[in-house]
Amino acid sequence: MIVRVSLEIALRKEFDYFVPPELSGLVDVGSRVQVPFGPRKVLGVVTAIAEESAHAKLKSIVKVIGAQTLVTPKVLKLARWIADYYCCAPETALKSVLPEAVRHEEAGWRERLFVRALPVIGEFPKLAKRQLEVWNIIEERREILLSELVELAETTAATVRKLEDHGLVTITNEISERDPYSREQILPSIPIELNPAQAEALVNIKTAMQRREDGRSKMEDGKARPSSILHPPRSVAPKPSEGGSSSTFLLHGVTGSGKTEIYLQAIAYALEQGKGAIVLVPEISLTPQTVERFKARFSSGKLQTLVAVLHSHLSSGERHDEWHKIRQGRARIVIGARSAVFAPVEPLGLIIVDEEHEHTYKQEEAPRYHARDVAIVRGQMEGAVVVLGSATPSLESYYNCKKGKYTLLSLPERVDNQKLPYVRVVDMRQAGRGGKGPPIFSNQLKEAITQRLEKGEQTILFLNRRGYSTSLECTKCGYVANCPNCSLALTFHRPEQKLRCHLCGFVDAVPSVCPEPKCKSPTIRYSGLGTQKVEDVLGKLFPQARVKRMDADVMKRKEDYRKVLGDFRTGKIDILIGTQMIAKGLHFPNVTLVGIIYADMALHQPDFRAGERTFQLLTQVSGRAGRGDVEGEVFVQAFTPFHPAIQYARRHDFVGFYEQEIEFREQLKYPPSSRVALLTLKGRNEEKVKFSAEHVRRELDKLAASKGRSPEPGVQSPESKIAAAAKTLDTGRGTLDLKISGPAPAPLLRAESFYRYQIMLRTRAMSRLSFALADISARLTLPDDVTLTVDIDPVNLG
């Protein structure tokens, strides 16, 4: 028996190994194995079973990791597509589909001592008073952890061992699963009656699920086993934008329109069909409330099932146990952040991507995949229905609906006849006149907060910038405290009296005088503001209010999100201040006021999506208000109050914003009318980086100029390879139609001590361009201290 193994080393190559007879029954496609590689032993995944090998003397597999294959054939196929489309090594893509906690050589199960009561045979033994007390607890519980029993009975393990000697109990070492929600008391919920728009959306989703099931049954008849799953013939997988109206839905519903209830009832239908579901959420802060709603619905009744959770705030052991619940088929519903898209749910019937517009679905290191697009491709590969939900869809998804690739489902009104909040835009240019500059709180917002405190209603204040002040500067010489590693000013954090870089983590002490040797002036001041300053000023304006801040500086432990949100829900907090982690998906009926401190903070960044992001953020934050019986009110403080993004957000008019924004995108050939690949070169020497970027540009120019021309026979020059790649790019629908911009310094030239230059490519044929970029990246010879990264469909141009 011969197998092909992909190692955990990015060599872009598979290796053949012999399977010894004693292991032949344990090895299959997707098995994790340990193999010899040179003088060492490394781990890998079996990607195919081969009948023969081109190599005569094959080394043998050392051992098989785990009794069950960890990577399913379908997920292997998905990993291959990711490697192809996102221009990364197949081994890197394969590693991303398994959590690190699962990739370990040794099993990560936790074993603990359990005490169980045994039937009493014959005469009950005579026990000491203390032993009898312990026995009464065991008899009542029948089974209990030894550590829990010792704590509960205030006794010792030796006392329990004496009961074992009497034959009353047995103490055994068993696997004890770590459940991150084991201490939560969650009350069951029942399905809610849907309004007509919700019901219509659900019918469409159910119909598609049934249609996919009927089609899958036909496709599976007579299907042959593939010889290689990781490296079949190139890209037969569909592009992420080609979802097809029958399988991919965009659920566009205003904030509070009941999208989650549709998710819950669609999942119930999937479970009735014997299938599982994956629910992706964009932020870890959403997970506690989301998990609570799903566990409440599926914790009892005929569809009782385990709900598994996968996100980075779980401990390594919790991630290990949750993942294995899914792989063993015990958990049929998975909720998590972007990496949960790889959860081994089989068979998979439904994938939900909540808040699909969120940029956090994009991974910033290799493989640089977008979880929304991977979800769509996985749905097509496995015959599952994909539902993208958002009150402010990405322009790409809405564009695909307009082109007929996705099906649009609309929820134009809030549930229970609730009204959308009334949005007031405050011109901060006027508020700052005649004073010392613009205040943090306008008079209108201060008055609104006072009214809410008097009525016992709650307020959310949003500012997407943490820290106290954004910079420290000298008023005499103009010195600004900058990070030595990045092209950024250091942010002042008042509680610890430190200057911090939010990019690389550099920390410096706060100087008492200007650090410039020729100045040394004591007239240094702080400028700008962050959430810490908002909290400080708020405490002085409203000393009686119970205020809590929620940002990355205070939300450090996995329990912090749950505690703060729980306190806010139960009315223990009057005013919640936060960054974008409080902007979306949260449901608090008593919140009647939302204040957006500086709405145009991100509006003028050098990114073509700046207006879209501002519109989305304002609409999402505004949607936290008025979800109960009292109508909500939103104050948007801005220095550019008449910008289209702010005005359309004020009117809750997504379609209007889309129509004016898409016109600008199409004129400049920006997504969604085209696709973007961003090439970034970085190194510690700026001149080397710039020179390398110019070299890469020349190679790309050859690609653009030579497309469609066949190479001369027998010529093996780099130019001929480019021509061959370009010819491949011109096959199929359309041509490459490549637009090249740059090289140019990145908007943030220096980050973490590396200088960065960028080249932007725009095309309508991204799959074919990915193939050419992978070829160029493999051939390019760059200086040892300069690296090239390729980001397909980037969401951040910084």
Side-chain angles (χ1 to χ4, degrees):
M1 186 178 180
I2 298 169
V3 293
R4 295 211 168 90
V5 179
S6 176
L7 307 179
E8 288 192 350
I9 311 169
L11 300 174
R12 295 180 180 268
K13 187 178 179 182
E14 293 176 355
F15 296 88
D16 290 354
Y17 284 91
F18 175 72
V19 181
E22 63 271 19
L23 297 179
S24 60
L26 303 175
V27 175
D28 202 351
V29 172
S31 294
R32 292 268 294 166
V33 292
Q34 186 186 66
V35 297
F37 189 77
R40 54 187 175 144
K41 296 175 182 177
V42 298
L43 296 178
V45 175
V46 175
T47 58
I49 296 174
E51 295 179 358
E52 57 183 21
S53 173
H55 306 280
K57 295 183 178 180
L58 296 180
K59 293 182 179 180
S60 294
I61 286 175
V62 176
K63 67 177 178 179
V64 180
I65 310 298
Q68 187 181 25
T69 58
L70 297 186
V71 185
T72 66
K74 292 174 182 176
V75 173
L76 273 175
K77 185 179 178 183
L78 185 65
R80 185 210 58 81
W81 179 85
I82 289 172
D84 278 354
Y85 185 76
Y86 291 104
C87 286
C88 70
E91 297 86 350
T92 305
L94 199 51
K95 281 179 70 174
S96 71
V97 307
L98 281 178
E100 187 177 356
V102 178
R103 294 202 307 265
H104 293 157
E105 181 180 347
E106 300 300 327
W109 297 105
R110 177 181 64 177
E111 293 189 348
R112 304 175 76 180
L113 292 172
F114 281 83
V115 181
R116 287 186 180 82
L118 294 175
V120 179
I121 301 173
E123 187 177 345
F124 190 82
K126 186 176 181 180
L127 300 177
K129 181 182 177 182
R130 196 79 192 92
Q131 293 173 358
L132 187 60
E133 292 172 352
V134 175
W135 164 249
N136 288 335
I137 295 174
I138 299 171
E139 188 179 33
E140 181 184 347
R141 294 287 192 92
R142 306 307 297 173
E143 177 181 318
I144 188 173
L145 274 169
L146 177 61
S147 58
E148 185 182 344
L149 175 63
V150 168
E151 182 180 350
L152 186 64
E154 297 179 347
T155 186
T156 63
T159 302
V160 184
R161 292 286 182 186
K162 289 178 181 176
L163 294 178
E164 185 181 34
D165 294 340
H166 284 297
L168 295 174
V169 302
T170 176
I171 302 175
T172 54
N173 197 29
E174 297 179 11
I175 289 175
S176 172
E177 289 186 343
R178 291 150 287 203
D179 182 355
Y181 296 88
S182 59
R183 296 185 179 181
E184 294 291 316
Q185 298 294 325
I186 299 175
L187 298 175
S189 70
I190 59 173
I192 300 171
E193 184 177 350
L194 303 179
N195 62 32
Q198 287 175 301
E200 183 181 350
L202 182 61
V203 166
N204 277 279
I205 295 169
K206 284 183 174 182
T207 302
M209 291 170 70
Q210 186 58 52
R211 189 162 52 235
R212 297 291 279 185
E213 172 61 16
D214 295 342
R216 184 185 355 214
S217 300
K218 295 177 182 177
M219 288 175 61
E220 288 180 350
D221 292 339
K223 186 178 288 186
R225 182 174 185 169
S227 59
S228 176
I229 292 179
L230 194 62
H231 292 290
R234 174 147 191 108
S235 269
V236 293
K239 303 181 187 69
S241 63
E242 297 176 351
S245 59
S246 65
S247 62
T248 304
F249 293 91
L250 175 60
L251 183 60
H252 177 211
V254 297
T255 55
S257 58
K259 294 185 288 293
T260 304
E261 184 62 30
I262 294 175
Y263 300 158
L264 291 166
Q265 296 194 28
I267 290 173
Y269 185 75
L271 293 176
E272 288 174 356
Q273 288 186 314
K275 298 185 179 65
I278 296 173
V279 182
L280 301 183
V281 290
E283 296 281 358
I284 294 170
S285 60
L286 292 179
T287 304
Q289 194 174 43
T290 305
V291 171
E292 183 178 309
R293 292 189 70 175
F294 280 81
K295 281 183 175 286
R297 181 63 54 88
F298 299 107
S299 61
S300 62
K302 65 177 182 178
L303 291 176
Q304 183 171 353
T305 184
L306 279 174
V307 177
V309 184
L310 294 174
H311 60 73
S312 61
H313 269 220
L314 300 180
S315 68
S316 178
E318 287 170 342
R319 279 198 297 274
H320 172 277
D321 292 0
E322 291 290 286
W323 191 90
H324 279 283
K325 288 177 191 175
I326 304 162
R327 184 67 187 99
Q328 293 166 6
R330 292 184 289 130
R332 307 296 299 133
I333 302 169
V334 180
I335 302 172
R338 62 175 175 259
S339 62
V341 73
F342 304 117
V345 177
E346 285 197 329
L348 181 62
L350 180 66
I351 305 177
I352 292 167
V353 186
D354 193 29
E355 309 292 359
E356 64 85 24
H357 64 277
E358 272 301 311
H359 66 90
T360 51
Y361 281 127
K362 176 74 167 161
Q363 175 126 317
E364 295 299 329
E365 62 273 346
R368 293 174 174 79
Y369 67 89
H370 198 299
R372 177 197 62 212
D373 295 343
V374 172
I376 293 168
V377 172
R378 183 174 181 185
Q380 294 166 32
M381 288 180 172
E382 301 195 29
V385 168
V386 180
V387 178
L388 313 177
S390 178
T392 55
S394 64
L395 262 67
E396 287 84 352
S397 294
Y398 199 78
Y399 182 83
N400 283 331
C401 289
K402 290 288 188 180
K403 294 295 183 181
K405 295 177 180 178
Y406 303 168
T407 299
L408 178 64
L409 305 174
S410 296
L411 303 176
E413 297 178 352
R414 283 187 161 183
V415 295
D416 299 330
N417 298 315
Q418 294 172 353
K419 293 183 179 180
L420 287 166
Y422 186 81
V423 181
R424 305 177 188 275
V425 179
V426 180
D427 189 345
M428 295 302 286
R429 297 172 300 179
Q430 303 294 330
R433 288 182 178 177
K436 297 181 179 179
I440 296 176
F441 300 102
S442 62
N443 290 331
Q444 298 97 312
L445 181 55
K446 282 190 287 188
E447 177 62 28
I449 294 173
T450 301
Q451 292 175 7
R452 268 51 181 200
L453 290 173
E454 290 172 352
K455 295 177 183 178
E457 297 168 0
Q458 292 173 298
T459 300
I460 287 178
L461 296 177
F462 172 79
L463 178 66
N464 203 21
R465 181 180 285 164
R466 57 195 177 96
Y468 191 88
S469 297
T470 51
S471 64
L472 180 147
E473 57 188 47
C474 175
T475 57
K476 183 177 180 181
C477 71
Y479 166 85
V480 176
N482 289 317
C483 175
N485 306 318
C486 310
S487 305
L488 278 178
L490 295 171
T491 300
F492 173 53
H493 286 247
R494 190 171 183 177
E496 58 265 43
Q497 288 291 307
K498 296 289 183 183
L499 295 172
R500 291 184 177 276
C501 175
H502 290 170
L503 190 64
C504 72
F506 174 81
V507 181
D508 201 3
V510 178
S512 56
V513 297
C514 176
E516 282 292 326
K518 295 182 180 180
C519 182
K520 298 294 182 181
S521 169
T523 60
I524 54 174
R525 68 181 181 89
Y526 303 105
S527 62
L529 76 155
T531 49
Q532 289 179 3
K533 190 170 185 178
V534 173
E535 182 183 31
D536 183 52
V537 173
L538 201 64
K540 294 173 182 176
L541 291 173
F542 306 101
Q544 78 282 10
R546 297 167 295 177
V547 179
K548 194 71 177 178
R549 177 163 53 91
M550 194 169 172
D551 58 29
D553 293 323
V554 290
M555 299 289 109
K556 293 182 177 178
R557 296 176 302 179
K558 64 181 179 180
E559 298 297 325
D560 291 339
Y561 294 100
R562 198 178 306 170
K563 185 178 186 308
V564 172
L565 295 178
D567 288 347
F568 194 56
R569 184 186 296 111
T570 55
K572 297 177 182 177
I573 299 170
D574 297 317
I575 304 173
L576 182 64
I577 306 163
T579 54
Q580 64 179 1
M581 64 175 63
I582 66 168
K584 45 212 167 274
L586 301 177
H587 180 85
F588 298 110
N590 198 37
V591 173
T592 59
L593 174 66
V594 168
I596 300 171
I597 305 300
Y598 286 164
D600 40 12
M601 184 174 288
L603 197 54
H604 308 295
Q605 292 181 348
D607 191 324
F608 66 88
R609 289 192 178 94
E612 180 185 3
R613 285 195 185 135
T614 299
F615 171 83
Q616 290 168 341
L617 206 51
L618 296 185
T619 305
Q620 292 286 342
V621 178
S622 300
R624 301 315 105 204
R627 286 171 167 257
D629 297 329
V630 181
E631 186 176 353
E633 190 174 21
V634 180
F635 283 85
V636 178
Q637 300 184 159
F639 292 94
T640 51
F642 300 109
H643 191 282
I646 294 175
Q647 287 300 316
Y648 282 114
R650 180 179 71 84
R651 298 194 293 268
H652 309 283
D653 184 5
F654 170 79
V655 175
F657 174 77
Y658 170 84
E659 288 174 350
Q660 68 87 31
E661 183 74 8
I662 199 69
E663 184 178 347
F664 142 69
R665 300 280 184 94
E666 288 178 337
Q667 285 178 353
L668 298 178
K669 290 186 168 54
Y670 280 127
S673 63
S674 69
R675 309 294 277 275
V676 166
L678 189 66
L679 278 57
T680 303
L681 292 103
K682 65 179 185 178
R684 298 185 189 277
N685 184 306
E686 185 179 2
E687 287 302 314
K688 274 189 182 181
V689 175
K690 183 179 179 182
F691 176 81
S692 301
E694 290 168 348
H695 172 60
V696 173
R697 170 63 195 252
R698 287 191 291 271
E699 292 294 309
L700 293 169
D701 285 338
K702 295 173 187 175
L703 173 65
S706 62
K707 70 180 192 300
R709 292 207 300 266
S710 300
E712 295 178 17
V715 177
Q716 298 298 321
S717 67
E719 289 79 3
S720 70
K721 291 183 178 180
I722 292 173
K727 185 179 182 184
T728 303
L729 295 170
D730 280 328
T731 61
R733 293 176 300 164
T735 61
L736 190 58
D737 189 25
L738 188 61
K739 306 282 187 236
I740 307 175
S741 303
L748 188 66
L749 172 62
R750 196 160 178 248
E752 299 178 275
S753 75
F754 288 97
Y755 291 95
R756 307 181 306 152
Y757 275 69
Q758 295 178 338
I759 301 172
M760 180 188 284
L761 309 177
R762 282 167 285 172
T763 181
R764 294 179 185 272
M766 184 54 75
S767 290
R768 296 190 286 279
L769 177 60
S770 296
F771 174 57
L773 291 177
D775 177 67
I776 290 174
S777 300
R779 288 188 298 95
L780 272 178
T781 302
L782 296 174
D784 291 339
D785 53 351
V786 176
T787 58
L788 169 67
T789 60
V790 179
D791 192 357
I792 305 297
D793 300 329
V795 297
N796 183 6
L797 302 183

